[in-house]
Amino acid sequence: MAKFPYDIVGFDLDGTLFDTSRDLGVALNHALALAGRPPVPLDDVTRHIGGGASQMLRSALTESGGVDEAAFDGLQAELVAFYARNIAHHTALFPGGADMLDALDARGVKIAIATNKKEGLALRLFEEMDLLHRFACVIGGDTLGPGTSKPRPDMLHAMVERCGGGRAAFVGDTTFDTGAARAAGLPVVAVRFGFCDVPPDDLGADAVIDHFDHLVPTLERLGA
C-alpha cells in the first residue's frame, strides 16, 4: 500500500461525520416550546444547524418571530441541558462512516474532530456511542476560548498541533468548515449529504463527495 498523503484527517461533527439532526431538533423544539414558539419539523431542522447551539436557536427564533435577547441565554442553557440528557437517541454515523474510519486507521492516519459544538457535549456523544477511542483529539467550539470557533482557523491549527504535526486535511459540510480550512491553509473536502448552509458545490471545497466510500480515494487524489 502506497503511503497515504495525509498524517491527520480532521472532521466536523454535526452533519459531517454524524447525522445528529433529530436529537438536535428535539432539543431545539424543547427550547422553542419554552419560549412559546411553534416547533420546527424535524425533517426541516438541518437548515438551522451549523454554527453551534447558539446559532441554531437564534436562527429558529428569528424565523418564528424574533429573538428576546433578555431571555436568550437562559433559553440556550435549557436547550443545551436537554440535549446533553438526550444526546444519542437518534444520532448515527453517516453511511460508510465506520468503514471509512477503519480505512484511515489502517493507513496510520490520526483522526481528529474540530466542531463548533461544545467540547463537553462532543465528548459525551462519543462516549455514549463508544467511539471516543477513535479520535486523536477532540476540539470543541469552547475549547480555545471566545472568538476562536470556525470559520476562524484557530481550531484547525490546534488540531494539527495536538496531533503532533504533519500534513493535514479537513472534512466538513458548511461554510464554517470550508472557511476555517481555507484560513488554516488546509485542503478541504465537503460532504454532499450534510447540513450544508449553501449548495454543496458552492461551499468552496477542493472536492465534494456523495458517500464516505469516496473519501479515502478523494484524499489520495488531492494529496498526490
Side-chain angles (χ1 to χ4, degrees), residues 29 32-33 36-40 60 64:
N29 286 337
L32 291 174
R37 304 293 179 84
V40 175
S64 64

Side-chain angles (χ1 to χ4, degrees), residues 31-214:
L32 291 174
L34 293 176
R37 304 293 179 84
V40 175
L42 293 183
D43 290 338
D44 196 35
V45 75
T46 57
R47 60 195 177 83
H48 296 293
I49 302 172
S54 176
Q55 172 152 321
M56 178 176 69
L57 178 59
R58 188 172 293 277
S59 173
L61 288 171
T62 299
E63 189 173 89
S64 64
V67 180
D68 178 354
E69 294 294 349
F72 183 81
D73 287 348
L75 204 58
Q76 181 183 338
E78 290 282 354
L79 187 161
V80 171
F82 181 93
Y83 180 62
R85 295 192 301 269
N86 302 277
I87 199 166
H89 292 325
H90 307 287
T91 291
L93 286 162
F94 279 106
D99 288 341
M100 176 273 297
L101 293 176
D102 288 342
L104 291 176
D105 275 339
R107 289 161 173 79
V109 175
K110 292 181 179 178
I111 303 167
I113 296 291
T115 173
N116 280 352
K117 185 191 289 293
K118 290 182 181 295
E119 180 184 320
L121 290 175
L123 292 173
R124 181 166 187 159
L125 174 61
F126 295 145
E127 287 169 350
E128 290 204 16
M129 300 188 74
D130 194 27
L131 289 171
L132 185 57
H133 64 282
R134 303 299 301 261
F135 306 110
C137 75
V138 176
I139 299 173
D142 58 343
T143 300
L144 305 177
T148 59
S149 58
K150 297 174 295 184
R152 287 186 54 85
D154 306 56
M155 296 168 67
L156 302 194
H157 289 316
M159 175 190 82
V160 174
E161 180 180 353
R162 293 184 182 194
C163 287
R167 197 176 184 195
F170 196 66
V171 185
D173 69 316
T174 68
T175 55
F176 293 92
D177 302 313
T178 54
R182 289 287 178 233
L186 302 184
V188 57
V189 176
V191 297
R192 202 180 299 279
F193 47 78
F195 305 159
C196 309
D197 53 345
V198 301
D201 292 302
D202 295 337
L203 285 168
D206 295 290
V208 183
I209 59 171
D210 298 301
H211 192 281
F212 271 136
D213 287 353
H214 305 151

